[in-house]
Amino acid sequence: MQAARKKLKSFREIRDKSGSRFYEFSTSWWALLFFILLVGGCVIWNTFMVPALKFDPYPYNGLRTALALLGAIQTPILLLYSRKSTDYRKSLLEQDYELEKKIFKKIEIIETEMKQDRELYLKEIKRVVFIARKVSGQKKKVKSVENKELKSVEIHKKDVLQNNKSERTENSDSMTA
C-alpha cells in the first residue's frame, strides 16, 4: 500500500515538474520563435521546393492539422498551470496578509507601551518636582507650577521638532538646487 502511494507521489512530482517546464517553455519567446520558424519553414518548403519533395501542398492541410493538435494539447496544460500559478500567488498574498496582521498588532502594542511610558514619565516628573519643592522649602502651589513646567517642556519639544523639520526641508531644497 505504501509502495503504491510512493509511486503515485513520485509520478505526481514528475508530472508537475514536466508540466511546469512545458508551461514555462510554451509561454516563452523561444517557443514563439520556434513555432514561427516551423510554420514559415513548412510553408516555404512546400511552396518553393520541387514537387517531388513537397510533403504538404498548397492548402497546407497537414500543417493546419498539426497546429490544431498542438493547440488542443497545449491549451489545457497552459490553463491548468496558469490556475496553479494563480493559486500560488493567492497563497503568497494570504501569507503576506497574516504577516501584516502580526506586524500591525506589534505596532499597536508598542504604541500602547509608549503611551503608558509617557504617562509614567510625566508622573515621575511631577513627583520629582514635588519632592524638590518640599526639599527646597517652597510651599507654593505645586500643581500649577508642575503643569506650567510640563507645558514648557512640551513647547520646547515642539520647537525642537519644528526646527528639525525646517532644517530637513532646507537641506532637501539645497540638494535639489
Side-chain angles (χ1 to χ4, degrees):
M1 186 73 161
Q2 290 180 353
R5 286 183 184 170
K6 286 181 181 178
K7 286 182 182 180
L8 184 62
K9 185 178 179 181
S10 65
F11 174 73
R12 286 180 181 164
E13 289 174 359
I14 292 170
R15 179 195 65 192
D16 289 342
K17 285 180 183 178
S18 63
S20 65
R21 287 183 184 155
F22 179 76
Y23 173 76
E24 289 172 7
F25 175 74
S26 298
T27 56
S28 69
W29 286 101
W30 292 110
L32 181 65
L33 180 65
F34 172 75
F35 290 120
I36 288 173
L37 291 175
L38 180 71
V39 170
C42 286
V43 169
I44 290 171
W45 181 275
N46 289 312
T47 303
F48 298 112
M49 272 311 214
V50 179
L53 296 176
K54 292 181 182 180
F55 58 88
D56 191 19
Y58 167 64
Y60 310 118
N61 289 331
L63 182 61
R64 283 187 206 162
T65 305
L67 291 175
L69 286 173
L70 179 69
I73 292 169
Q74 194 175 19
T75 302
I77 294 173
L78 293 177
L79 289 173
L80 173 75
Y81 280 94
S82 68
R83 190 184 81 214
K84 278 191 176 187
S85 66
T86 304
D87 292 343
Y88 177 71
R89 287 187 200 127
K90 184 179 177 182
S91 69
L92 286 178
L93 286 174
E94 288 173 353
Q95 290 173 358
D96 287 345
Y97 176 72
E98 293 298 323
L99 182 65
E100 287 177 4
K101 278 176 45 178
K102 289 178 183 177
I103 290 171
F104 282 125
K105 284 181 183 177
K106 287 182 181 180
I107 289 172
E108 288 175 352
I109 290 169
I110 291 171
E111 284 178 348
T112 56
E113 287 176 356
M114 286 176 60
K115 287 179 184 176
Q116 291 172 354
D117 289 345
R118 182 176 185 272
E119 291 172 3
L120 289 174
Y121 175 72
L122 292 175
K123 285 180 183 178
E124 288 296 320
I125 288 177
K126 286 180 182 180
R127 248 191 246 152
V128 167
V129 169
F130 181 74
I131 292 171
R133 294 284 159 91
K134 271 190 169 181
V135 169
S136 68
Q138 295 177 358
K139 294 184 179 181
K140 295 181 182 178
K141 290 186 178 179
V142 177
K143 290 182 181 179
S144 62
V145 173
E146 289 174 2
N147 289 336
K148 288 178 185 176
E149 288 178 0
L150 290 176
K151 287 179 183 177
S152 67
V153 169
E154 289 180 1
I155 290 170
H156 178 69
K157 286 180 184 178
K158 288 180 182 178
D159 291 339
V160 169
L161 289 174
Q162 287 176 353
N163 289 338
N164 288 341
K165 286 181 182 178
S166 63
E167 288 175 6
R168 286 185 202 145
T169 56
E170 289 173 5
N171 289 339
S172 65
D173 290 342
S174 64
M175 290 181 146
T176 56

